[in-house]
Amino acid sequence: PYVKFWLGSGSEQDSQKTSTINNDLNPRWNAGPYNFRLESDDDVLHLEVYDEDTFTSDDLLGRLKIPVFSIVHGEPNVSVWIKDQLEDTAHGELEIELSYCPEAFMGA
């Protein structure tokens, strides 16, 4: 599987994704960091987990939406671990580490 993610204020075309981990029901990506330019503190991070298929379209395994408000108004540059059940599936969870780094895009 792999995870595709984007901010709600952007578009799915602006999405980023992890690498695919094959033949694993409990993948650990340990990827990143991935950076997004945050336009509003009421934005939502969308994450979708897919099973990659070679000859057919990839299968959606579940999704998760994370409001960034509490992270943005928390302590800057401090990681927050979030672990939650995936939506649109009977089983599955996603655990991610997020942080708000206000200086990441300064001068960019």
Side-chain angles (χ1 to χ4, degrees):
Y2 66 89
V3 180
K4 182 169 79 169
F5 44 95
W6 67 96
L7 287 174
S9 62
S11 70
E12 201 169 336
Q13 286 74 27
D14 298 327
S15 68
Q16 298 181 50
K17 70 176 234 152
T18 65
S19 60
T20 299
I21 297 180
N22 294 312
N23 305 316
D24 194 334
L25 296 176
N26 295 299
R28 291 183 177 270
W29 288 277
N30 294 324
Y34 297 97
N35 296 307
F36 294 95
R37 183 179 300 275
L38 189 64
E39 301 295 333
S40 171
D41 63 2
D42 64 350
D43 215 338
V44 176
L45 178 63
H46 295 260
L47 302 107
E48 294 181 341
V49 182
Y50 287 90
D51 180 39
E52 187 172 61
D53 293 323
T54 303
F55 299 108
T56 60
S57 60
D58 296 350
D59 301 317
L60 177 66
L61 300 177
R63 61 176 48 110
L64 186 60
K65 296 175 187 168
I66 301 174
V68 298
F69 185 86
S70 61
I71 296 161
V72 170
H73 290 282
E75 191 169 341
N77 305 307
V78 174
S79 295
V80 175
W81 285 91
I82 297 173
K83 183 177 182 178
D84 206 349
Q85 295 295 313
L86 292 172
E87 300 170 6
D88 303 324
T89 186
H91 304 285
E93 62 186 18
L94 195 58
E95 182 175 355
I96 65 169
E97 177 184 10
L98 296 173
S99 62
Y100 175 60
C101 304
E103 71 282 349
F105 288 101
M106 293 185 78

